[in-house]
Each structure stands twice: as structure tokens, then as C-alpha cells.
Amino acid sequence: LAAIPFCLGLLYLGFKTNSVVLFVFTVTVASLLFAFTLAQQILAIQLSAEQENMLAISEPIREGAEGFFKTQYGTISRLSVLLFFCIIVIYSFRQTTPEQQAAGISKGL
């Protein structure tokens, strides 16, 4: 409820600034309202016994997938950090060109 005056103020500023801003703001608010309505409808659905069984089967599959992604993202992040430090080392030992020296550009690190 406290967000209504804020939204109206943004709407007024958007109208005063540019019609495109007003259009984008209107579409954004409408999309958020639509998403909120869909979320309420989905959360109100009652599951049948068959759907409960499917949920019980899907839980171990979800856990396995989460473990897989955790392993993959862990490997990628470690390799990214290693590559970052390799690039820093290579960059710090590079030769500056005469044009860089004339322009006052140093090696940096």
C-alpha cells in the first residue's frame, strides 16, 4: 500500500519526461501484476495422490541435478580464478610498446 504513492510519482515523472518511459513503466507494472496473479493461482492448486507420487520420485532427481550443478559450477569457478591470476601474471610481465611509453601508459601493476 505504501508503494502506491511511489508508483504514482514514478508514473508522473515518466509522463513528464518521455512517453516511452511511461509506456515501459506501465508494461512493467502490468507484467508484475500478471505474474503475481499466476503465482497465486499456481499456489492454490491442490495435488492429487498421483501427483504426490510424482513429487516423491522427482525429489531424488532434483537432488542429483543440484549436486551435478554444484560440482560443475565449483570447477568452473576454480578454473576462472586460476585463469584470472594467469592473465594478471602475463599482463604484469608484458613489454610496453614505444607508443604506450610516449603516451605515458605504464605496465599498471
Side-chain angles (χ1 to χ4, degrees), residues 63-103:
E63 290 175 6
E66 287 174 356
F68 171 77
F69 284 122
K70 185 178 178 181
T71 303
Q72 291 298 313
Y73 288 141
T75 302
I76 289 171
S77 64
R78 285 191 295 273
L79 287 175
S80 298
V81 169
L82 177 67
L83 184 61
F84 168 76
F85 284 114
C86 288
I87 290 172
I88 291 295
V89 168
I90 291 169
Y91 183 77
S92 64
F93 288 110
R94 79 188 197 302
Q95 296 290 328
T96 54
T97 64
E99 292 83 14
Q100 290 173 330
Q101 290 173 354

Side-chain angles (χ1 to χ4, degrees), residues 57-69:
I57 292 170
S58 70
E59 190 59 35
I61 295 171
R62 179 189 314 257
E63 290 175 6
E66 287 174 356
F68 171 77
F69 284 122

Side-chain angles (χ1 to χ4, degrees), residues 10-11 13-15 17-28:
L10 284 179
L11 191 63
L13 287 175
F15 181 72
T17 305
N18 192 344
S19 61
V20 175
V21 173
L22 178 64
F23 174 74
V24 169
F25 180 73
T26 306
V27 169
T28 302

Side-chain angles (χ1 to χ4, degrees), residues 40-51:
Q40 283 185 329
Q41 289 176 357
I42 290 171
L43 292 174
I45 295 174
Q46 298 295 324
L47 296 178
S48 67
E50 184 177 302
Q51 290 169 330

